[in-house]
Amino acid sequence: MERHRMLKESQIMKIHYITGIAAIFVVAVHILMRLIVPFGSSLEYDYIISNYKNIFYVFILESILVLISIHGFNGIRIILLELRQNNAWENMITIMTISATIALIAYGTRTIILANGL
Amino acid sequence: MKELEHDSRNNLEGLKGWLNPSRYGWERISYWFQRITGVFLLIYFIGHVYETSTIVNGQNAWESFLELTQTVWGHLFLIMVIGASTFHSANGIRLIFTHVGIGLGTPGRPDYPYNPSSLNYRQKSGIWIALILSAAAMYYGFTVLFGE
Amino acid sequence: MTDHISHDVLIIGTGLAGLRSAIACAMRNEKLNIGVISKVQAMRSHSVSAEGGTAAVLFSDEGDNIESHIYDTIRGSDFLCDQDVAEKLAHEIPNEIYQLDMWGMPWSRRDDGRIDQRKFGGYSFPRATYAQDKVGFYEMQTLYDTCLKYDNIHFYNEWFCTSILDDGNNNFAGVTAIEMKSGNFVIFKSNSGIIATGGAGRLYSFCTYAYSSTPDGIDMAFRSGLALKDMEFVQFHPTGILPSGILITEGARGEGGYLINNLKERFMKNYAPEKLELAPRDVVCRSMIKEIENGRGFKHETGLDCLKLDLTHLGEERIKERLAGIREIGIKFSGIDIISEPIEIRPVCHYMMGGIHTNIDGQTGMNGLWSAGEAACNGLHGANRLGANSTSECLVWGNITGRLAADYAQKNKEKSIDIAENKILSEEKRIFDGIFRGSGQVNPYDVRKEFTDLMDAKTYIFRNENTLIDGLKKVRELQKLSWKHVDDSSKEYNTNFINVMEIDSLLRIGEIIIIGALNRRESRGAHSRTDYPNRDDVNFLKHTLAYFKDSANPHFSWHPVTLTRYVPAERKY
Amino acid sequence: MNNSNKNNKDEKKIVLKIFRENTAQKTDRHYDKFNVPYKKWTTVLDALLHVKSYMDPSVAIRYSCRMASCGSCGMKINGIPRLACYTKISELETSTIECEPLPNLPVIRDLVTDFSRFFNHHKNVQPYIQSNDGVDDSDTEKKTFSFYQSPDDVDKYLQFSYCIKCGLCYSACPTVGTDLKFPGPQALAQLYRYFADTRDEAKNRLDIVDDRHGIWRCHFAGSCSKVCPKGVDPALGIQLLRSYMLGISKNEKKLAKKIEIKTNEENI
C-alpha cells in the first residue's frame, strides 16, 4: 500500500531539509534588503516597486516563495499526519497540502509578475 | 506496513503530552518550540504573501494596508516572527545534523548510571545557542522597530 | 459452553526452553499450528535473569573435550546424574551455541572474532559461553525475536494455565487456562504438548527468582497424575545480595572474585583447596554457612548474617566490560559499587534440580506430553547442578522436545480430541467455586509469607529430621487454614485470583520437598542432612518419585539412576 | 522480606496514590491513597505489592523479575515513565508517590496496560537475523555456522540489544502520543540493532520504515533515551539509521566471516 507512492518519505524529507537550508540564505538576503536602508523607508512604495524591478531580487523573492511554501506545507502535512491515522484523512492531507503549496506559489508569483510590470 | 489490529486510542497522551514538555528535558522543549515556531511562521508567511500582494493595487492600497501593521502590536508580532524564525533556523540546522547522525557520539557499552550519548552537551548547547540567538535577534528587532 | 482453542502443538511457558522448543517445532514442520502460552508476556519469563553463561565445549583445539564436560557434570551432581543424559547434553550443546550465533546472539568475543568462554564453578576448563553478564537475557531476546520470524507460532501472552487435560487413556489432550485480560476460562485442545514452566523458587522468601516463578506448572503436572522427581534437591547459590536476594552471577567468581569472611580471609581455601571459590555451588554454600556459624560472618543491617564478595581487585575496566549488569544491580539494589567495595552476599535459593519426571528425551509419563527446562527433571543435574548447565539444558531439551512434539503432532494430526466434560467441570469447580468464590478470614498473602519463611528456616542448606518434621507439620497446618478466597471480585486482570492459585500450588509442592528431604536419609549434593552427614550409595543412589494420590497424601517411590561409564567416587574440589 | 508488615515506630511512611480504572467494566477513573511503610531500599514495586498483600488485593499490577531485566512493571511514577522495581522510594524525595499506567498504551485495569500494539510494531520491523544460508528450515540440509565477529563489530549493535521491551520509551515519545502507526523508538532501535549486525544479510530492512508513518516521524525529542532504564539510547539508533537512509553513511556493510561447523548428526 505504501510502496507505490511517487516519492519515498526519505526523498520528501531530503527536499524538506534542502528547502529549509536554502530558505535560510534567501530569507537572509531578503531581510538584508530591508536593513541596508532605514527600516521605515524600506517599506515605502517606490522602494518596494524598485525592488520588484530588480531581476536579481525578483529571483530571490520567487525562491523564498517556492522554498518556504514547500517546506512549510510539508511541515504542516507532517504534523497533521501524526494527528490522525486513516486512509481518507491521510489522502486528504496529501491533496490539501499539495494544492495549498501550488496555490500559494501561484498567488505570490502573480504579485511578483504584476509588480514587476508596474 | 501491516495494518494494525490494535488501534485503540485509549490512554494516548495526545497533544496533552506536548503541554508539559519540561519533564523530559531540553530536547523535548526544543521539539515543542520547533513545531510551534514552524506553524506560526507558516501562518505569518501566508499573511505576508497576502500583505505584499496589495502592492499590485497601487500606492494607496499598499499604504493603507501598511498602516494596519505599523502599530505597537504589529511590531511586537514582527519581533515574535524574528525570534521564531531565528530559533527555527538555528535549531533546524542542528536537527538536520542529528538526522544525518552527526554530533551524537557512537554506540558503545553504556555504564550505569546511563547517560545517553545522543543527549550530550553538544546537542544541549545547540538548543541553548538557538535560544540565545533568537533572543538576540528579537532584541535587535526591538531596537530597530521601536528605536526610531 | 466453554470456549476452546485448538493447536497442533501446545507449549506452556516462554522461558528459554519454551521458546527454543517453539522454534524447533516450527522449523521441523512449518505446517503445524503452534500455540505458546505464558502467564507473563512472552519475553518476560525469568530466564532473562540468568547471568553467567551457557556451558559448552567449543575449544577442543585448545584442550577442552566433551568427555570432560560429561564427567564434570556427573561429579558435580554427586553421581545422582543419569549419565546417558549428561552425555547427550555435552554432545548437543555446542550446536546450540552456534545456532544462537546464527540467530543473532551477541556472544562476547575474543579479539580474533571467535566466541569467548569464561571459568565457572565445578568445571575443569573455562567452558561457560557468555555475553557479558546477561546471558539469559540475550538468549531470551534472541529466541523471542527469532520466534517472530515464524508465522505459525502464536503467542498467548498472560494466559494462566490451571490444569492438564487427558483423553482418559493417558494421552495428552490439552490444558485449561484463564485469559488474564478478560478473565475468561478457556480450553486449549491439542494432541501434543510441552511443559516448560520453569522452576519454583518462590517457595522461599529469600530467592533469586522472579515473583512469577511459582510452581503452578509443576503442580499442574503433579495433579494430573505425573510423577515429580528429586524435588528435595534445591540449589542454593552462594551469592545473593541483601535484602532482595537478587543474584550476583557465578561469573563474578569466574572472573576472579574472592569470597571473604570478617577476617578478610579467602575462607574457601579451607574447604576446597584446589578450586577455591570455583567449587560447585553446594560446596561453597555449605562452607559459607559453616563460616557464619563459626562467627566469621558479617551482620547486614537487616540483621541477617552474611559474607562478602570482593571484586575490587579486578579493576574498573574489567568489571565494566564483563560484569556491568551486576555492578548496576549492586549499586541500585544494595547501594554498593562493586568496583570500590566488597558486596554483602548470602546463599540464596536459586534452582530446583527436581521437576516433572521425564526420560532422556524429555518425555513425561503421559503420551504426547513432554517437559523441558527447569520444570522437567530428566536426571541431568542429579543432586547438584553445575553453574551454566541450566541454560544449556533448556536449549538442548527445548530443541529435542520441540522436534519430538512436532513429529508426534504430525502423526496424530487427524486424531480427534475427546475430553470428558466432567473433567472440565471439575476443574472449573476447583478454581471458581473452590478459590474464586471461596470464603475465609485468613489473608492468603499472610499464609504465603508464613510458608516461604518456613521454607527458608526449615529446608535451607542444612536440614535434619526434627526441623523437617516440624516444617511438615506447620505446612499442613497452613494448608488447613481458611485462606482460599479471592477478595477482588472483578474478572479482568485479577492478579489476586492468580496469586491465590499460585499459593495453592506453593503449599502442595512445598510439602513434597519436605517429605522428599525427610525420606532421603543421607547427604548428597545440595541436600545436606546434619543427622546423616555422609553420602549413602548403598541405599540412596536413586531418584525420588512423588505421585499425587489424593489431596491429602502424596505417594513416594524410587527410580534407579542410569550409570554408564563412571562409578560413584568421592567428590573433592 | 521487604514486605514485612511489622509495625515499627521508627518506620517511615509514604503516601502511595494509585490510579484505578477497569476499562472493560467502564468504571470511573479515580485515585486510591495508601499509607505504606518503607525503608531505604524499598522500591515502588515493593510498596505496591505491600498494598496488594495487606491493604487492597484488587490493585491490578504487572510484575515479575523485580530486578529490572524483564520489563514488566513500567508505569508512570510522579509523571515520568519508569520501572517500578527500579525506582526506590527514597530516591524520589517526595511525600506522595503517584502511580499511573504507562501513557500511550491502552489501559486494561489500574496500572496494567495492553502491549499488543507495541509488540506488533516490534514484530513489523523484522527483528531477526536474515541470512541467505544461515538457517535453513528443512533440517536435512541444515548447516551450522559460526561467525567471526570482532568485539568492535559487536559493539556496533550491542547497546541496542540491551532493550528489555518495557515500553517506557514508547510511552514517553511525543509522536507515539498521537500517531498509532509510528513504530516508536523501541521498534526503530531494534531495526537498527539488526541492521548494524554484521551477521545480517537482509537487503530491504530500511524500506520497512521508509514511509509516511515510519522513521521520519521521529523529531529527536530525546524523551525515549531520557527514560530508558537500560541505557539503550533509541534516539541515537534512529538518527544513525536515518543517516544510512539519507545516503550520508554508506549502506554497504562488511559481513561477518562464516565458518561451517561439522554437526554431530548422529546425536540429533
Side-chain angles (χ1 to χ4, degrees), chain C residues 27-28 44 92 101 104-105 109 138 141 145 158 181 207 211-212 301 328 332 443 492 495, chain D residues 25 40 52-53 62 64 66 86 88 109 114 122 127 137 139 147 162 165 193-194 199 267:
Chain C
M27 275 173 78
R28 183 76 164 184
R44 315 264 190 241
E92 298 208 358
D101 192 18
M105 174 85 188
R109 303 277 174 166
Y138 286 131
Q141 304 299 330
D145 283 354
E158 304 192 312
K181 184 179 171 184
C207 66
Y211 285 122
S212 55
E301 56 187 302
E328 179 186 343
K332 196 74 189 185
N443 181 354
E492 294 80 13
T495 34
Chain D
Q25 301 296 328
K40 73 171 186 188
K52 192 165 175 60
S53 299
R62 178 185 284 139
S64 180
R66 61 83 171 86
Y86 205 52
K88 279 184 283 191
R109 192 179 163 192
D114 186 343
H122 176 68
D137 282 15
D139 66 321
F147 289 87
Y162 289 170
K165 303 179 177 72
R193 176 246 179 276
Y194 283 98
R199 292 167 291 189
N267 291 310

Side-chain angles (χ1 to χ4, degrees), chain C residues 343-415:
Chain C
I343 189 165
E344 286 142 323
I345 43 96
R346 179 184 159 81
V348 56
C349 169
H350 182 63
Y351 190 84
M352 324 293 295
M353 264 69 75
I356 302 163
H357 172 46
T358 72
N359 67 7
I360 184 167
D361 289 326
Q363 165 87 50
T364 67
M366 191 184 280
N367 299 323
L369 184 64
W370 285 263
S371 180
E374 193 178 344
C377 178
N378 50 29
L380 172 67
H381 302 308
N384 175 57
R385 173 176 75 86
L386 287 187
N389 253 352
S390 66
T391 46
S392 304
E393 183 204 0
C394 289
L395 294 169
V396 169
W397 272 274
N399 187 11
I400 294 173
T401 55
R403 283 156 171 265
L404 292 173
D407 291 350
Y408 184 89
Q410 182 62 35
K411 214 166 65 194
N412 294 286
K413 212 165 181 176
E414 306 308 320
K415 210 178 94 183

Side-chain angles (χ1 to χ4, degrees), chain B residues 62-137:
Chain B
W62 169 255
E63 275 164 7
S64 61
F65 199 95
L66 202 60
E67 235 163 79
L68 289 175
T69 61
Q70 297 290 56
T71 59
V72 172
W73 287 110
H75 282 166
L76 286 176
F77 182 78
L78 208 56
I79 288 170
M80 300 256 296
V81 171
I82 293 168
S85 54
T86 314
F87 179 83
H88 196 87
S89 306
N91 195 44
I93 291 172
R94 177 185 74 90
L95 283 174
I96 291 173
F97 275 112
T98 63
H99 284 199
V100 299
I102 295 169
L104 297 161
T106 46
R109 301 186 179 201
D111 288 315
Y112 183 85
Y114 304 116
N115 293 313
S117 79
S118 68
L119 309 182
N120 58 29
Y121 259 84
R122 252 175 301 178
Q123 295 306 324
K124 286 199 206 320
S125 31
I127 298 166
W128 296 331
I129 288 169
L131 287 169
I132 290 166
L133 279 180
S134 123

Side-chain angles (χ1 to χ4, degrees), chain C residues 20 26-28 30 40-41 43-46 48-49 51 66 88 91-92 95 98-107 109-115 132 134 137-138 141-142 144-146 148-151 153 157-158 181 202 205-212 242-247 300-302 304 324 328-329 331-335 399 403 443 445-446 448-449 456 487-488 490-496 499 502, chain D residues 1-5 22 24-25 40-41 43 45-46 49 52-55 57-73 85-88 91 108-109 112-116 118-119 122-123 127-131 133-139 142-151 154 157-159 161-167 190 193-194 197 199 229-230 261-268:
Chain C
R20 182 67 188 89
M27 275 173 78
R28 183 76 164 184
E30 59 196 24
V40 292
Q41 291 163 329
M43 75 304 292
R44 315 264 190 241
S45 300
H46 193 60
V48 292
S49 305
E51 291 172 354
I66 287 180
K88 191 157 194 141
H91 278 112
E92 298 208 358
N95 271 341
Y98 295 126
Q99 179 67 72
L100 279 172
D101 192 18
M102 296 200 294
W103 284 334
M105 174 85 188
W107 292 120
R109 303 277 174 166
R110 293 179 172 187
D111 287 336
D112 67 357
R114 288 181 82 180
I115 296 169
Q132 300 152 296
K134 300 179 178 181
F137 172 76
Y138 286 131
Q141 304 299 330
T142 304
Y144 174 73
D145 283 354
T146 306
L148 300 179
K149 191 161 71 173
Y150 297 97
D151 288 331
I153 299 178
N157 285 335
E158 304 192 312
K181 184 179 171 184
R202 279 287 150 187
S205 288
F206 190 60
C207 66
T208 60
Y209 285 78
Y211 285 122
S212 55
L242 296 159
S244 56
I246 293 172
L247 174 69
H300 186 255
E301 56 187 302
T302 46
L304 283 164
E328 179 186 343
I329 287 169
I331 296 173
K332 196 74 189 185
F333 297 102
S334 207
N399 187 11
R403 283 156 171 265
N443 181 354
Y445 295 97
D446 280 335
R448 184 176 69 185
K449 175 90 182 115
D456 271 358
D487 294 332
D488 178 2
S490 305
K491 271 179 80 184
E492 294 80 13
Y493 214 91
N494 191 331
T495 34
N496 187 202
N499 287 159
E502 286 170 350
Chain D
M1 197 160 298
N2 308 357
N3 297 340
S4 104
N5 57 338
N22 187 337
Q25 301 296 328
K40 73 171 186 188
W41 51 73
T43 62
L45 180 66
D46 293 332
L49 290 178
K52 192 165 175 60
S53 299
Y54 305 111
M55 295 170 171
S58 70
V59 174
I61 163 177
R62 178 185 284 139
Y63 57 91
S64 180
C65 79
R66 61 83 171 86
M67 54 187 278
S69 53
C70 77
S72 297
C73 60
C85 68
Y86 205 52
T87 309
K88 279 184 283 191
E91 69 191 12
I108 297 174
R109 192 179 163 192
V112 178
T113 48
D114 186 343
F115 271 60
S116 2
F118 174 77
F119 291 151
H122 176 68
K123 186 175 177 172
Y128 35 79
I129 296 282
Q130 296 172 31
S131 174
D133 47 5
V135 180
D136 196 329
D137 282 15
S138 72
D139 66 321
K142 196 179 130 186
K143 283 182 183 164
T144 308
F145 292 101
S146 175
F147 289 87
Y148 277 27
Q149 196 173 41
S150 72
V154 175
Y157 66 87
L158 186 69
Q159 175 169 14
S161 55
Y162 289 170
C163 174
I164 58 173
K165 303 179 177 72
C166 59
Q190 290 313 297
R193 176 246 179 276
Y194 283 98
D197 196 320
R199 292 167 291 189
K230 290 278 146 185
I261 302 285
K262 288 186 197 85
T263 56
N264 315 342
E265 277 303 328
E266 74 277 13
N267 291 310
I268 295 177

Side-chain angles (χ1 to χ4, degrees), chain B residues 44-74:
Chain B
Y44 166 77
F45 182 69
I46 296 169
H48 186 65
V49 170
Y50 175 73
E51 177 197 17
T52 51
S53 77
T54 54
I55 202 155
V56 302
N57 299 332
Q59 190 162 5
N60 291 340
W62 169 255
E63 275 164 7
S64 61
F65 199 95
L66 202 60
E67 235 163 79
L68 289 175
T69 61
Q70 297 290 56
T71 59
V72 172
W73 287 110

